[in-house]
Amino acid sequence: QVQLVESGGGLVQAGGSLRLSCASSGNTFMFDAVGWYRQAPGLQRELIATISTDGTTYYLDRVVKGRFTISRDNAKNTVHLQMNSLKPEDTAIYYCYEEDAWSTYWGQGIEVTVSS
C-alpha cells in the first residue's frame, strides 16, 4: 500500500508563498502520474496541477493563472507544489495523489489558510 505524506502547509498572508511537498512510500513513483487537488470549504474537490512521468504539466488555469508550479524529484519520491501570490480564495485542504497502473493513492490532506 502506497502512503503519501504532505507537508509545508500553514497560515500565510495574502501575497505570500508556500511550498507543499508530498513524499511517497511507493516503489513505482518514477513511473506514476502525480498531482494535487484541493477542496475549499463547501466546495467540491478540484484538480489543480499534475505532472506526468516525462515532466509534462497540467494546471487548472482559471485557478492557478501562472502562480503555481508543480515539480517532481524522482530520486526522493517527492512531488512539490510551489504556490506564489497566494489569495484568500486559495484557502483549502490540499491533497496530493499518485496514480499507478492499478490504483490511485491519496495523501491525508494538508491545510492552507491565506489571510487577507
Side-chain angles (χ1 to χ4, degrees):
Q1 180 74 11
V2 173
Q3 292 187 334
L4 302 175
V5 179
E6 296 113 335
S7 60
L11 174 65
V12 64
Q13 288 188 332
S17 298
L18 284 174
R19 187 185 192 219
L20 304 183
S21 298
C22 174
S24 170
S25 67
N27 295 321
T28 63
F29 180 85
M30 66 181 298
F31 303 112
D32 299 339
V34 291
W36 294 88
Y37 280 74
R38 74 182 188 185
Q39 186 166 18
L43 299 178
Q44 290 186 330
R45 190 177 296 192
E46 59 184 358
L47 176 65
I48 56 171
T50 68
I51 184 166
S52 66
T53 56
D54 66 0
T56 301
T57 57
Y58 159 83
Y59 297 99
L60 184 60
D61 285 342
R62 65 173 178 79
V63 167
V64 173
K65 296 182 180 178
R67 300 180 298 130
F68 296 178
T69 302
I70 188 170
S71 62
R72 64 190 297 162
D73 184 343
N74 290 335
K76 296 182 179 180
N77 275 21
T78 302
V79 57
H80 303 286
L81 185 67
Q82 177 67 42
M83 304 188 294
N84 300 325
S85 302
L86 284 162
K87 306 174 182 179
E89 51 264 42
D90 294 317
T91 294
I93 306 294
Y94 285 71
Y95 300 89
C96 67
Y97 78 92
E98 179 179 349
E99 184 176 11
D100 65 18
W102 302 274
S103 188
T104 300
Y105 308 96
W106 295 91
Q108 78 283 1
I110 191 162
E111 190 167 356
V112 171
T113 303
V114 184
S115 63
S116 57

